[in-house]
Amino acid sequence: MFHPVGELDFIAIYKHILTFWDEHKCFQTLVEKNGSGPRFSFLDGPITANNPMGVHHGWGRTLKDLYQRYYAMRGFHQRYQNGFDCQGLWVEVEVEKDLGLNSKREIENYGLEKFSRKCRERVNKFSQIQTQQSISLGQWMDWPNSYYTMSDTNIESIWYFLKVCHERGWLYLGHRAMPWCSRCETSLSQHEMLETYYEVTHKAVYVRFPIKERPGESLLVWTTTPWTLPANVAAAVHPELEYLRIQAGEHILIVGAETVHRVGTEGKDYRVLGKCFGKDLLGLHYDGPFDDLEAAKNIDHRVIAWDMVGSQEGTGIVHIAPGCGQEDFELSGVENLPIIQPVDETGTYLEGFGEFTGKRVQDLQQAIFADLKRKGVRFKTESYTHRYPSCWRCGEELIFRLVDEWFISSEEIRPQMREANSKVRWVPSHVQKRMDDWLVNMGDWCISRKRYWGLPLPFYPCKACGHLNVIGSLEELRERATEPFDLPELHRPWIDAVKIRCEKCGETVTRITDVGDCWLDAGIVPFSTMKYFEDREYWKDWFPADLVLEMRAQLRCWFYSLLFMSVALEKTAPYKCVMTHEKVLAEDGREMHKSWGNAIWFDEAVEKMGPDVVRWMYLGQATTEPLRFGYGPSREIKRKFLQFWNVYSFFVLYAQEDKPGLVYDRVPQENTRLLDRWLISRVNSADALIRASVENYEVRKAVIAIENLWEDLSNWYVRRNRRRFWKEETGPDKIAGYQTLYYTLTTVCRLMAPFVPFISEHIYQNLVRSLDPSAPESIHHTPYPVCDPGLVHTTLEEGVAMVQRVVSVGLAARNAAGQKVRQPLACAMLVVPEELRETIRQFEQDIVEELNVKETQFLDDPGPYIRRHVALDMKSLKSRLGKEAGAIRKAWEEVNQDDAYDALSMGNEFLLDLPSGLVAITPDDVRLAMEGTEGYSAASEKGVTVVLDLTLTPELIAEGRCRELVRKLQIMRKDAGLEVSDRIRLHLFRGEIMDDIVNRFKDFIAAETLAVELTREAPGQDCFVRDIEVGNDTGLVGLVKVA
RNA sequence: GGGCCUAUAGCUCAGUUUUGGUUAGAGCGCACGCCUGAUAAGCGUGAGGUCAGUGGUUCAAGUCCACUUAGGCCCA
């Protein structure tokens, strides 16, 4: 039979169950069991195997596991392939830190071969750690079969993709200004700019550009990046904006009309001389601030038109340096501007920049300012706070510089991607529009990185003939290589040694040294991991994925690269549905931050809360809102589980005694009570709701449905049925009760199983497997329960809900009258909806017991028993009617409250006759209250009114005192340290009340307190003794355990 | 400057679409109490809301529409 149930210990349970699954190979059994089932294709987004997992990873992983487990219980065959993202700057930067390296030069000195080995080691180490962490969260995956984006297969698949792009003419080497990290010495692509903008305060400078054609007059230009001034070639104005010619001190300046206030303090120290439009300034020439430098010597600085110039920004005149900004660079094409590239990869000034040469951008500010001052063109400086991008990896502020990078053109594919996106189901739906916005705005995809540990781009540009050779596979590389090779892996530096023959001219060609954007690595996985090249039939079975699920930030990373590559290769989206979730915050609503002390580590969360609690926290949260993760919420969750656990514990406690013949997976049919059928109905209607919610990606709804089921099970079914299980004999009624509870507990566990795999397995093992060894070995091998509509009784569920409300309202009426529940009352009169009377009548006994009344009656009209009272809401009246409110209050004292109540409670207005005329009082102006008339107490809520008859007969009073006495005896039993089943001898000594009560209720008292002997003699030395007070009487009581 | 999301009790959040409809709900916290055969558990009652604001549609708006404000996210 069952094992006794101890305390709820999530940690012990999960550890035990993990071992159990492992020893019994439960996951493998599941995969085999569903091997011939319909397919559910889930595609796992690769997690970067670079650090231990954080709690923010747990959300997605829990959702992923929920869906895989749910569809597994529904018999679906799945791949269960986990993925690791292995390449790119992420890994390099961490390895650099470990090795104490701090630049590309240091890496090269260290040796690329050793460096690549270290990167691989790191990935291997953390993929193992992350695997263990995921297992502890309960994730079931085919772990040994995880894919790694650094694998040769993955790399070759990307090569194929790149070759396809090349064949379509999409691939090109671009020369552009890119956001650049001078520490990592690489550019950042558009999607790497995500979450890289921070509030930064910079020193901004106003600089004069003296106009050649107008001696003594200058353009005033403002910039937050003074280091770019040596690269200035032009000044841009908006042709349609108004500009002012002003006298400021000794200078005459040209400034935008709307920004002129910046020139001085509140406009006091300048004088307007004239005005003009931007177009009037076009073509003017000016002296650049650094014309003395070799690199800027022959530049012809002029004023150009640009309609992106904002009227509020800076001075309305924009400094243009095409070598230092993307928009500036684009403008240089339109305006045919020269381009000055001031810095190298490390942000160091190149030759030709005088004293700046050899210095880094970050260290130059003072020198530039000093130089500008010396030349007399520095107008003023100011601190300026704005959002500025920094490197997402190392935190270094980014600069913009001109670089050669490889791009995939997005013009041709853009409409196809938008079309494909329109067929995808996004959860939540508005993300689809986000994706479309992103696609509309996406620039060409910059795929090259000037780094080491990454996908080697298979580009072999021929210096002799200019032809670009793109290799599409390892086999092709072998065929075209100048000599045979043996590579340990497709990575730098090994691959760099391979040279090929140009297919055009036959010249020997070397690979470019660039590696690829890591989103290429991740975007190819629907092909590389689904046997696109080896087994097309298999691929067709699994592509496109039914579900992809990641945090929303993946929109322009993984979701984007997946879509791009899949549309390029197959003209279709690789996913049918994409579910996204928001980010995880600390309990206080802020980001988790080590230094703020609000961070919780993943391992710590699992070890302290238990994985089931962690999962419940994730699954109970709307995926559209950030999750607040913390110990406070986890305690609340544990309490909810405890409610269910206690029912389980209660059931096992009694079932072990009585050993009723229980049958797994059978709905009790015979001898059931109405409340049994109600519970069975609740389970089945919840089942339907849970399934629908999960399948519609409304996981939270399912979680709430389960919690409500726990609540009804514990707080109504068990509460109302407890005495049924105390009975000595085990008759048909009791057996039906057991089977109902058994059916419910095991079914609810199976409903919960995909959500909380550990605790549900634990209970299943005890309730099902220990009883029926032929049942499936694991709860996760059982089919997900199917709602039987024939067992759902809507009227019954509504009726019980109404009974629950009657009880609640009745207790409120008791509370209002100050009558404790233990004092029996004669009658509760109920006003309830006509159509539910019949159902409610069947539960009269429940109402009678819960409210402790002798009987219930239905009432058509509570009128004679209640007094209505309408209180004015003076605030509302004052705001609506002003001064009249006082007069209304006076007049209100004369109003018949019943009439007013009736009118207002129906939502109508009530007309009040004032000397000044009729005033309409609306339901918003009042508060409706109800109280019992003399001798009655009443309360009302949502269509239910309960009137209690408060009249106490001597008989009722005596019974109340008896219950009081019994209660105090029970406390004594507990204080005496007795077990609940211990039998006692009871001494009721002294006190008149005893005589009366004992005479009337002797049997009742004996039964309730398990007294086998009840005596009026004085308690002896062996007794636990106490003076107690009942009503106005006191007495001496003793009790002692008897054998 | 453009787009998307959010705003409900002290706190954390349901409810809002499909389908506008009685007195807007829960948990936590707080106050008071009950129960004592689930017991280092369980339960009840209460206080606490101008449903961000304004306007509109409607017999009827927390719910639909428009605008405004505040916060968040994204783009530029």
Side-chain angles (χ1 to χ4, degrees):
Chain A
M1 204 51 193
F2 308 133
H3 303 290
V5 175
E7 280 183 24
L8 174 53
D9 181 347
F10 288 106
I11 313 300
I13 288 174
Y14 108 79
K15 296 208 159 147
H16 176 252
I17 295 296
L18 276 185
T19 313
F20 168 81
W21 286 342
D22 198 39
E23 283 173 356
H24 294 259
K25 300 198 177 345
C26 292
F27 174 68
Q28 289 79 349
T29 307
L30 177 72
V31 175
E32 282 160 29
K33 179 178 108 37
N34 289 338
S36 56
R39 287 176 170 74
F40 179 74
S41 179
F42 173 78
L43 181 63
D44 186 45
I47 177 172
T48 307
N50 192 34
N51 277 305
M53 261 167 63
V55 288
H56 57 286
H57 291 109
W59 197 355
R61 301 219 136 204
T62 300
L63 284 165
K64 291 172 182 184
D65 193 55
L66 166 75
Y67 276 98
Q68 294 198 136
R69 284 183 183 273
Y70 173 77
Y71 282 106
M73 287 178 80
R74 295 218 20 223
F76 283 81
H77 179 38
Q78 299 173 67
R79 293 173 64 245
Y80 296 105
Q81 192 177 30
N82 174 79
F84 291 112
D85 202 8
C86 313
Q87 303 179 144
L89 261 183
W90 283 300
V91 182
E92 286 195 30
V93 169
E94 291 297 328
V95 171
E96 272 186 85
K97 268 193 222 163
D98 280 355
L99 296 174
L101 308 176
N102 204 27
S103 72
K104 278 166 76 170
R105 186 159 308 131
E106 286 178 33
I107 292 172
E108 287 179 14
N109 290 342
Y110 176 78
L112 284 197
E113 191 169 327
K114 276 199 290 179
F115 188 72
S116 280
R117 292 276 185 238
K118 285 283 181 196
C119 288
R120 180 174 287 269
E121 270 171 35
R122 184 175 183 89
V123 167
N124 286 336
K125 174 179 167 190
F126 284 103
S127 62
Q128 289 314 303
I129 289 172
Q130 290 176 342
T131 299
Q132 285 314 310
Q133 291 180 300
S134 305
I135 289 171
S136 75
L137 185 64
Q139 222 186 339
W140 265 8
M141 279 287 192
D142 185 6
W143 299 110
N145 187 35
S146 293
Y147 70 81
Y148 291 76
T149 61
M150 64 188 173
S151 71
D152 285 358
T153 312
N154 211 61
I155 288 168
E156 265 195 279
S157 306
I158 299 165
W159 283 5
Y160 172 82
F161 161 80
L162 292 171
K163 191 168 173 103
V164 168
C165 290
H166 180 49
E167 283 162 4
R168 294 187 189 158
W170 295 352
L171 201 63
Y172 69 93
L173 178 66
H175 184 66
R176 340 187 132 182
M178 297 285 295
W180 183 274
C181 175
S182 60
R183 197 215 65 87
C184 297
E185 294 179 43
T186 185
S187 55
L188 283 84
S189 71
Q190 212 174 348
H191 40 234
E192 282 174 309
M193 298 293 284
L194 187 70
E195 283 170 23
T196 54
Y197 281 82
Y198 292 100
E199 290 262 300
V200 188
T201 300
H202 282 127
K203 211 61 165 184
V205 62
Y206 291 79
V207 186
R208 286 194 304 110
F209 288 179
I211 301 173
K212 286 192 168 152
E213 290 86 349
R214 302 181 187 170
E217 244 177 74
S218 305
L219 302 165
L220 192 66
V221 170
W222 171 89
T223 180
T224 57
T225 51
W227 68 268
T228 62
L229 283 169
N232 174 275
V233 300
V237 295
H238 194 297
E240 306 305 329
L241 275 183
E242 194 176 66
Y243 290 83
L244 297 180
R245 188 161 161 271
I246 61 168
Q247 178 83 46
E250 58 196 289
H251 304 292
I252 294 175
L253 303 174
I254 308 284
V255 198
E258 290 177 52
T259 48
V260 67
H261 58 277
R262 298 225 175 108
V263 171
T265 313
E266 291 163 9
K268 277 178 191 152
D269 35 19
Y270 65 83
R271 197 154 52 88
V272 178
L273 301 176
K275 55 174 82 171
C276 66
F277 286 100
K279 55 189 173 203
D280 303 327
L281 301 168
L282 298 179
L284 289 175
H285 296 78
Y286 63 87
D287 296 324
F290 295 98
D291 285 351
D292 52 320
L293 297 179
E294 184 66 26
K297 206 161 55 182
N298 297 316
I299 300 294
D300 177 31
H301 300 279
R302 61 187 166 96
V303 180
I304 61 169
W306 188 27
D307 52 15
M308 293 300 284
V309 174
S311 63
Q312 303 297 327
E313 217 171 304
T315 61
I317 305 178
V318 177
H319 140 65
I320 301 292
C324 305
Q326 182 57 43
E327 290 166 329
D328 307 41
F329 178 76
E330 280 164 17
L331 218 45
S332 75
V334 180
E335 294 282 342
N336 196 21
L337 302 172
I339 297 165
I340 299 175
Q341 164 77 289
V343 296
D344 70 5
E345 307 80 57
T346 63
T348 305
Y349 263 75
L350 297 163
E351 287 302 319
F353 289 89
E355 58 165 319
F356 307 138
T357 297
K359 288 189 181 149
R360 294 192 73 216
V361 164
Q362 288 78 358
D363 311 324
L364 260 179
Q365 183 171 291
Q366 286 315 313
I368 300 248
F369 283 168
D371 195 56
L372 291 171
K373 191 173 185 184
R374 190 168 48 74
K375 290 169 176 164
V377 294
R378 192 178 89 178
F379 184 73
K380 70 170 185 179
T381 59
E382 65 183 15
S383 289
Y384 184 74
T385 304
H386 60 153
R387 281 162 62 78
Y388 192 82
S390 45
C391 177
W392 56 268
R393 239 354 315 171
C394 69
E396 179 95 3
E397 281 185 18
L398 298 180
I399 59 176
F400 285 81
R401 64 183 292 273
L402 279 189
V403 275
D404 288 341
E405 298 287 3
W406 291 87
F407 292 85
I408 303 176
S409 164
S410 50
E411 281 319 300
E412 199 177 324
I413 200 173
R414 187 196 315 273
Q416 298 170 33
M417 285 176 75
R418 293 184 67 193
E419 167 69 17
N421 175 46
S422 72
K423 291 176 185 153
V424 174
R425 170 164 188 197
W426 290 87
V427 180
S429 56
H430 61 82
V431 182
Q432 182 162 44
K433 189 169 161 34
R434 273 275 172 99
M435 179 53 116
D436 191 58
D437 284 349
W438 167 246
L439 293 175
V440 169
N441 290 314
M442 74 172 170
D444 293 347
W445 186 0
C446 174
I447 56 166
S448 54
R449 299 288 180 277
K450 307 200 177 313
R451 297 293 305 193
Y452 311 104
W453 176 245
L455 158 85
L457 291 175
F459 303 159
Y460 295 77
C462 177
K463 280 185 182 144
C465 71
H467 177 71
L468 174 62
N469 297 275
V470 176
I471 298 294
S473 68
L474 180 56
E475 197 187 326
E476 187 183 349
L477 185 65
R478 284 196 195 287
E479 279 170 14
R480 295 179 55 185
T482 50
E483 48 195 82
F485 59 82
D486 188 23
L487 294 179
E489 57 189 88
L490 293 181
H491 279 105
R492 298 187 69 188
W494 304 280
I495 186 94
D496 296 342
V498 178
K499 298 185 192 322
I500 66 162
R501 291 225 179 278
C502 176
E503 59 192 344
K504 265 266 174 63
C505 68
E507 195 63 36
T508 301
V509 191
T510 311
R511 194 187 75 87
I512 61 165
T513 55
D514 295 15
V515 295
D517 177 10
C518 61
W519 295 110
L520 287 168
D521 300 340
I524 199 68
V525 298
F527 300 92
S528 58
T529 69
M530 292 185 182
K531 308 189 183 182
Y532 183 66
F533 300 96
E534 312 99 275
D535 183 349
R536 199 54 76 97
E537 286 309 307
Y538 176 92
W539 178 81
K540 280 182 184 161
D541 277 344
W542 297 101
F543 183 97
D546 292 301
L547 179 65
V548 153
L549 195 168
E550 305 291 335
M551 58 191 272
R552 203 199 57 197
Q554 292 296 348
L555 187 97
R556 43 182 193 152
C557 299
W558 193 50
F559 299 151
Y560 162 75
S561 70
L562 276 176
L563 187 64
F564 195 112
M565 297 173 95
S566 183
V567 169
L569 294 179
E570 289 290 330
K571 286 200 165 40
T572 176
Y575 33 65
K576 291 180 191 158
C577 176
V578 184
M579 187 173 179
T580 67
H581 62 86
E582 289 295 322
K583 57 183 164 187
V584 176
L585 301 176
E587 193 173 342
D588 56 14
R590 300 185 298 167
E591 302 267 350
M592 282 198 186
H593 221 280
K594 241 187 279 186
S595 56
W596 295 343
N598 62 358
I600 299 177
W601 305 125
F602 180 88
D603 294 348
E604 178 195 322
V606 168
E607 283 309 309
K608 289 195 178 159
M609 300 175 186
D612 284 331
V613 173
V614 170
R615 291 170 68 110
W616 205 254
M617 208 183 310
Y618 291 130
L619 298 173
Q621 169 69 31
T623 49
T624 50
E625 294 294 320
L627 165 71
R628 296 189 180 207
F629 190 97
Y631 288 105
S634 87
R635 279 187 287 274
E636 282 182 38
I637 290 168
K638 179 161 185 182
R639 287 186 50 147
K640 287 178 191 163
F641 273 102
L642 215 43
Q643 199 178 24
F644 181 66
W645 184 263
N646 282 332
V647 173
Y648 160 61
S649 164
F650 172 88
F651 170 78
V652 169
L653 186 70
Y654 289 97
Q656 256 180 321
E657 274 306 292
D658 290 334
K659 303 196 173 18
L662 298 168
V663 185
Y664 169 58
D665 203 21
R666 188 164 86 193
V667 182
Q669 305 285 354
E670 292 148 17
N671 306 308
T672 53
R673 293 187 186 182
L674 192 57
L675 203 62
D676 298 339
R677 297 196 287 283
W678 166 77
L679 184 64
I680 292 162
S681 174
R682 282 286 293 115
V683 169
N684 279 274
S685 55
D687 184 335
L689 178 58
I690 292 163
R691 275 174 168 253
S693 304
V694 169
E695 289 173 27
N696 201 32
Y697 306 103
E698 298 173 296
V699 177
R700 182 191 184 108
K701 263 192 188 169
V703 166
I704 290 170
I706 294 172
E707 287 180 356
N708 289 341
L709 199 51
W710 292 344
E711 166 75 17
D712 271 340
L713 171 62
S714 164
N715 197 19
W716 195 251
Y717 183 80
V718 171
R719 176 169 137 200
R720 290 308 323 143
N721 264 300
R722 274 155 68 170
R723 285 177 182 265
R724 188 175 175 188
F725 298 99
W726 299 347
K727 285 189 297 196
E728 292 289 338
E729 79 284 5
T730 305
D733 170 64
K734 197 173 176 183
I735 289 173
Y738 274 120
Q739 183 63 31
T740 301
L741 256 187
Y742 188 62
Y743 162 80
T744 302
L745 285 168
T746 52
T747 306
V748 172
C749 265
R750 281 161 57 196
L751 288 170
M752 287 157 54
F755 298 80
V756 277
F758 296 105
I759 189 173
S760 53
E761 179 79 282
H762 176 86
I763 298 176
Y764 174 85
Q765 291 301 326
N766 193 21
L767 289 187
V768 178
R769 286 282 292 171
S770 63
L771 195 70
D772 180 0
S774 70
E777 189 174 36
S778 161
I779 191 170
H780 304 287
H781 301 157
T782 66
Y784 206 69
V786 183
C787 166
D788 178 351
L791 295 173
V792 176
H793 305 291
T794 313
T795 313
L796 180 55
E797 290 193 34
E798 282 171 5
V800 170
M802 199 51 81
V803 170
Q804 290 170 329
R805 192 175 303 157
V806 164
V807 168
S808 168
V809 170
L811 288 171
R814 263 189 177 276
N815 223 40
Q819 276 298 358
K820 291 174 178 171
V821 179
R822 76 176 83 97
Q823 173 60 58
L825 295 175
C827 180
M829 291 171 280
L830 317 177
V831 186
V832 295
E834 186 69 37
E835 68 275 15
L836 290 173
R837 274 193 186 184
E838 199 42 51
T839 315
I840 292 169
R841 194 192 309 279
Q842 298 184 72
F843 291 105
E844 184 186 13
Q845 193 54 32
D846 292 304
I847 298 172
V848 161
E849 286 178 21
E850 288 287 328
L851 293 183
N852 195 15
V853 292
K854 291 296 164 194
E855 62 164 349
T856 67
Q857 287 172 13
F858 289 114
L859 217 53
D860 293 320
D861 173 21
Y865 304 104
I866 60 174
R867 194 160 38 230
R868 284 92 149 184
H869 178 63
V870 182
L872 295 174
D873 181 346
M874 295 309 287
K875 212 162 119 193
S876 162
L877 285 172
K878 267 184 202 157
S879 67
R880 199 164 65 85
L881 301 167
K883 280 178 297 196
E884 272 189 296
I888 292 170
R889 174 148 59 176
K890 208 165 271 173
W892 196 254
E893 287 166 13
E894 308 300 319
V895 166
N896 179 317
Q897 297 283 304
D898 285 351
D899 292 349
Y901 189 101
D902 285 346
L904 291 161
S905 66
M906 297 298 286
N908 298 328
E909 292 180 342
F910 183 78
L911 294 177
L912 191 60
D913 203 357
L914 289 185
S916 57
L918 280 177
V919 174
I921 306 297
T922 71
D924 289 341
D925 297 329
V926 296
R927 278 195 152 171
L928 301 174
M930 178 194 287
E931 56 189 15
T933 52
E934 205 57 39
Y936 297 93
S937 179
S940 183
E941 184 195 308
K942 286 204 169 176
V944 172
T945 300
V946 176
V947 180
L948 295 177
D949 180 353
L950 299 175
T951 314
L952 292 180
T953 62
E955 183 67 23
L956 289 170
I957 292 171
E959 205 180 321
R961 294 208 169 139
C962 171
R963 301 248 322 225
E964 172 106 22
L965 173 64
V966 168
R967 174 173 162 263
K968 291 192 168 164
L969 291 174
Q970 300 287 27
I971 293 172
M972 279 180 68
R973 279 183 60 107
K974 194 176 170 188
D975 291 347
L978 300 183
E979 294 291 325
V980 291
S981 55
D982 285 340
R983 302 295 195 263
I984 57 168
R985 186 176 73 239
L986 190 58
H987 296 260
L988 296 175
F989 182 65
R990 252 178 31 210
E992 288 171 36
I993 188 79
M994 303 302 179
D995 292 333
D996 184 34
I997 293 174
V998 173
N999 285 342
R1000 293 190 199 211
F1001 303 108
K1002 189 172 182 180
D1003 293 343
F1004 177 76
I1005 295 169
E1008 287 294 309
T1009 59
L1010 296 187
V1012 289
E1013 193 186 340
L1014 206 163
T1015 161
R1016 304 303 320 270
E1017 287 169 18
Q1021 286 291 316
D1022 52 346
C1023 286
F1024 185 81
V1025 179
R1026 184 173 283 175
D1027 273 310
I1028 61 174
E1029 197 180 319
V1030 174
N1032 297 319
D1033 193 17
T1034 59
L1036 181 69
V1037 173
L1039 53 82
V1040 61
K1041 181 181 168 181
V1042 295

